[in-house]
């Protein structure tokens, strides 16, 4: 598909799924593609007034030259690129709303981490220290480690810098709001889908990415709770986490050897899913459900290698985080938890539309 056409569908059908999805969360649908030059609409579940407060910056104010710092887990994946695009859209719209240009513009800086987990934690802490020394107007943070940033949160509070957490919560009461997917509920949906495809019986396992990240733990616990409470004939054989010396692909090979009769697998992120898919043998019959929805995952759904995935709302998450930050800077009271919704995507849903409409824009 040509780039121009991709921009058009991203503003329409992708907004209904990736930029504000949630079949179980009150999402709305888009029936027509808007004009290519119209702004892309941001969607959130319309609960407790969240949609109006965090999907539109109309009526908000900001001082000329306001700096909003966005710190992500990484800058490379399509998921985080979509988060960044949503944040950039909110900044563009507030500048348009206020008529700011040149040095008066509200501006966004974006940082991300790389490397192994320990290195990424240290890198993120150093990045936060440097950014806080610049005294930005607000900080939007996706924390690598949910317990690693307490000193930085205290420093932000002392400097009256509001902090909005996105994607992954942290163990701190010092933040203004947490903007993220309801990971427990979404993981329960993944469990229901997997158990249904297994006929409500069989052996399953979980491969997750990090013990330190709140989203990882919430997804594991939500999945496990749903299976234990509502699917008694399904056995969770093992829960494994990526470590510095063991990839998700290697963990799958370990599982395959230990449980040759394994029927299903839950992968808690796109990186975990793709590594497992790389190690699958053609003759293997396995029901796999996952989180996130980059191009390779959706192609795997169409090919029957992946049963389905929980699609988050990264663009909406990035936009909502910046909108919340602008409101916090203006002295408004924020909702402590801003739910950005999700959507279950399987082959049936993909076949209802053109598959390209569900891809992140690479």
């Amino acid at each position: 598909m040509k780039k121009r056409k991709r921009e058009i569908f991203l503003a329409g059908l992708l907004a209904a799924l990736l930029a504000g999805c949630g079949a179980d969360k009150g999402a709305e649908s888009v029936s027509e593609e808007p004009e290519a030059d119209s702004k892309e609409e941001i969607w959130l579940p319309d609960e407790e007034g969240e949609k109006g407060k965090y999907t539109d910056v109309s009526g908000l104010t900001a001082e000329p030259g306001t700096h909003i710092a966005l710190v992500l887990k990484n800058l490379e994946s399509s998921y985080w690129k979509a988060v960044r695009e949503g944040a950039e859209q909110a900044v563009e719209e507030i500048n348009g709303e206020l008529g700011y240009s040149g040095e008066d513009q509200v501006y966004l800086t974006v940082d991300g981490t790389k490397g192994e987990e320990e290195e990424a934690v240290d890198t993120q802490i150093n990045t936060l220290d440097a950014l806080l020394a610049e005294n930005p107007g607000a900080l939007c943070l996706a924390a690598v480690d949910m317990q690693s940033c307490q000193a930085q949160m205290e420093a932000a509070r002392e400097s009256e810098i509001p902090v909005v957490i996105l994607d992954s919560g942290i163990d701190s009461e010092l933040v203004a709001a947490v903007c993220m997917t309801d990971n427990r509920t979404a993981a329960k949906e993944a469990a229901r889908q997997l158990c249904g495809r297994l006929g409500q019986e069989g052996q399953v396992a979980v491969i997750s990415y990090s013990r330190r990240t709140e989203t990882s733990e919430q997804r594991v616990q939500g999945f496990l709770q749903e299976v234990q409470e509502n699917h008694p004939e399904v056995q969770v054989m093992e829960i494994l986490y990526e470590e510095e010396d063991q990839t998700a692909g290697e963990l799958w090979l370990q599982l395959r050897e230990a449980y040759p009769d394994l029927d299903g697998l839950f992968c808690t992120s796109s990186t975990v899913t793709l590594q497992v898919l790389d190690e699958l043998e053609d003759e293997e019959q396995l029901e796999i459900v996952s989180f996130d929805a980059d191009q390779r995952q959706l192609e795997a759904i169409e090919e029957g290698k992946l049963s389905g995935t929980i699609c988050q709302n990264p663009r909406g998450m990035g936009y909502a985080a910046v909108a919340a930050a602008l409101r916090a800077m203006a002295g408004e009271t924020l909702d402590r938890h801003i739910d950005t919704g999700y959507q279950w995507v399987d082959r049936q849903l993909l076949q209802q539309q053109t598959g390209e409409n569900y891809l992140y824009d690479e």
Side-chain angles (χ1 to χ4, degrees):
M1 178 177 287
K2 295 184 182 299
K3 179 70 173 177
R4 188 62 170 170
K5 189 175 179 182
R6 290 184 64 82
E7 291 173 349
I8 294 173
F9 79 69
L10 277 170
L13 290 171
L14 190 59
L17 184 63
L18 299 181
C21 43
D24 296 325
K25 306 293 288 180
E28 300 182 39
S29 61
V30 177
S31 59
E32 296 181 358
E33 291 182 343
E35 295 296 326
D37 59 351
S38 63
K39 78 172 185 178
E40 182 168 343
E41 192 162 4
I42 296 296
W43 300 88
L44 292 183
D46 195 10
E47 298 177 1
E48 301 178 2
E50 292 171 353
K51 181 177 179 181
K53 290 180 68 175
Y54 306 112
T55 60
D56 192 351
V57 297
S58 299
L60 297 181
T61 61
E63 292 294 322
T66 293
H67 173 199
I68 299 176
L70 176 64
V71 179
L72 303 176
K73 290 182 181 178
N74 73 66
L75 303 176
E76 300 302 321
S77 75
S78 55
Y79 176 85
W80 291 108
K81 289 177 182 178
V83 171
R84 177 175 183 164
E85 288 167 2
E88 290 172 341
Q89 180 178 339
V91 170
E92 180 181 354
E93 289 181 12
I94 191 63
N95 283 319
E97 174 78 9
L98 300 176
Y100 287 163
S101 61
E103 294 183 356
D104 287 343
Q105 291 185 94
V106 176
Y107 69 97
L108 183 77
T109 59
V110 185
D111 290 278
T113 57
K114 295 181 179 180
E116 300 295 340
E117 185 174 0
E118 291 289 346
E119 180 183 349
V121 172
D122 292 340
T123 298
Q124 188 169 80
I125 290 173
N126 292 336
T127 298
L128 290 173
D129 288 338
L131 284 171
L132 292 173
E134 298 176 7
N135 197 37
L139 170 65
C140 299
L141 169 65
V144 174
D145 184 339
M146 60 184 171
Q147 297 181 330
S148 67
C149 305
Q150 184 67 18
Q152 287 68 34
M153 298 303 96
E154 292 174 356
R157 173 64 64 87
E158 291 175 2
S159 299
E160 299 183 344
I161 300 170
V163 178
V164 175
I165 298 299
L166 67 153
D167 182 76
S168 303
I170 63 172
D171 188 15
S172 176
E173 294 299 317
L174 301 177
V175 301
V178 178
C179 178
M180 62 190 296
T181 307
D182 184 342
N183 286 284
R184 286 184 183 273
T185 302
K188 288 180 180 181
E189 177 63 21
R192 285 192 291 271
Q193 294 288 345
L194 180 57
C195 292
R197 281 163 168 73
L198 296 179
Q200 303 300 333
E201 62 180 7
Q203 299 180 353
V204 302
V206 179
I207 300 180
S208 195
Y209 48 106
S210 171
R211 297 178 187 272
R212 292 184 170 187
T213 302
E214 185 186 51
T215 53
S216 174
E217 282 300 283
Q218 288 178 342
R219 293 171 191 177
V220 170
Q221 293 306 315
F223 181 90
L224 187 61
Q225 181 182 354
E226 172 64 24
V227 173
Q228 291 177 338
E229 292 181 357
N230 299 310
H231 310 276
E233 300 303 316
V234 175
Q235 295 178 278
V236 179
M237 308 306 293
E238 198 158 359
I239 298 171
L240 299 178
Y241 293 84
E242 283 189 303
E243 305 290 348
E244 289 184 26
D245 60 347
Q246 202 165 26
T247 67
E250 291 168 338
L251 291 175
W252 162 243
L253 296 178
Q254 176 181 320
L255 277 173
R256 186 169 64 191
E257 182 175 352
Y259 307 101
D261 296 325
L262 195 69
D263 302 296
L265 182 67
F266 175 42
C267 300
T268 66
S269 73
S270 61
T271 54
V272 168
T273 306
L274 297 179
Q275 289 181 43
V276 169
L277 289 173
D278 285 341
E279 298 296 338
L280 282 181
E281 296 178 354
D282 292 338
E283 66 274 12
E284 284 183 298
Q285 299 297 316
L286 186 72
E287 296 284 350
I288 306 175
V289 300
S290 69
F291 250 81
D292 298 322
D294 72 5
Q295 182 173 351
R296 281 193 61 201
Q297 282 171 278
L298 293 165
E299 289 172 351
I301 292 174
E302 292 176 332
E303 295 167 358
K305 297 177 180 179
L306 184 62
S307 305
T309 192
I310 296 291
C311 175
Q312 297 190 82
N313 181 13
R315 188 184 297 274
M317 189 181 295
Y319 188 105
V322 170
L326 290 166
R327 291 184 179 278
M329 285 186 289
E332 294 188 24
T333 300
L334 304 180
D335 297 284
R336 171 69 180 181
H337 296 281
I338 303 169
D339 180 11
T340 55
Y342 65 86
Q343 171 73 53
W344 170 256
V345 179
D346 57 16
R347 178 187 270 180
Q348 181 179 1
L349 183 59
L350 289 178
Q351 290 175 345
Q352 292 172 358
Q353 304 286 345
T354 303
E356 287 282 348
N357 293 331
Y358 297 91
L359 305 183
Y360 291 133
D361 195 22
E362 296 292 348

